[in-house]
Amino acid sequence: MLERIQEHRVTTTHMVPTMFVRLLKMDEAERLSYDCSSVSHMIHGAAPCPVDVKQRMLEWWGESVYEYYAASEGGGTLVTPQQWLEKPGTVGPPWPISEIQIRDDEGELVPVGEPGTVWIAMGDHKFNYHGDEAKTQEAWRDRFFTVGDAGYLDDDGWLYLCDRKADMIISGGVNIYPAEIEAVLLQHDQVMDAAVFGIPDEDWGECVHAVLQLRAGVDQIETSLRSFCAEQLAKYKQPKSYDFIDDMPRDP
């Protein structure tokens, strides 16, 4: 990809955070040997982007990294590079045609800074899930719809994503968002990819489990990982168990 950007002087591309991580894990001298200065708009979405990862992409590619939050059903928000540097971690303010609300499980609005379910309105836009009226009804409340993401708003009404609610781990009655833990694990020099999820636990209901793809030639490094996570995560968020695989089973 870097060869083609350099050769064809590419100006615009669309990426997802997994691609950022894989690029940043390249040998630094090789990575920086390519000229990516032609890129004016590198647009990304599809998943929460770890703050550290995006910061490093901005340092490398300059102020060309734009992020949006949306779904096939509609959206959403947009944040420019300059806006993100002012508020690291945000996915930005709503589009001019959109409204964003954060509600609890009972459908009530939650206070600023408190996580809940993200609800979106796009004027009079309406959709139905084909052949699934029950899912359609579940997705809509008044003019607002949700695709099941969790997040919160700041004082300016800018959105910050936590994770998909369906991926949330509930351990000892506490909500834990896997994306936060994955973001920490991906900062470890020897980790190429990470997936975190809950597994059944008799005492806690669920406990945090991590599956990792390590750099080629690296042996299992569970002791190092536990120390690394202990420095950056509250104890209840730290993975209780690990598995190591050769390739993360991501589809194209």
Side-chain angles (χ1 to χ4, degrees), residues 10 13 21 42 49 58-59 73 79 107 114 118 177 197 200 234 241:
V10 172
T13 184
V21 171
M42 187 266 279
C49 185
L58 283 163
E59 291 170 357
E73 293 88 341
V79 61
E114 182 177 316
V118 180
Y177 296 103
F197 48 90
S241 54

Side-chain angles (χ1 to χ4, degrees), residues 208-226:
V208 179
H209 182 72
V211 177
L212 302 178
Q213 177 185 334
L214 303 178
R215 283 185 179 275
V218 175
D219 292 328
Q220 294 188 14
I221 51 171
E222 190 168 325
T223 301
S224 170
L225 288 165
R226 289 187 182 278

Side-chain angles (χ1 to χ4, degrees), residues 182-201:
E182 291 168 354
V184 169
L185 290 167
L186 289 170
Q187 292 179 44
H188 194 287
D189 288 343
Q190 303 305 321
V191 174
M192 288 296 293
D193 209 347
V196 172
F197 48 90
I199 58 175
D201 183 272

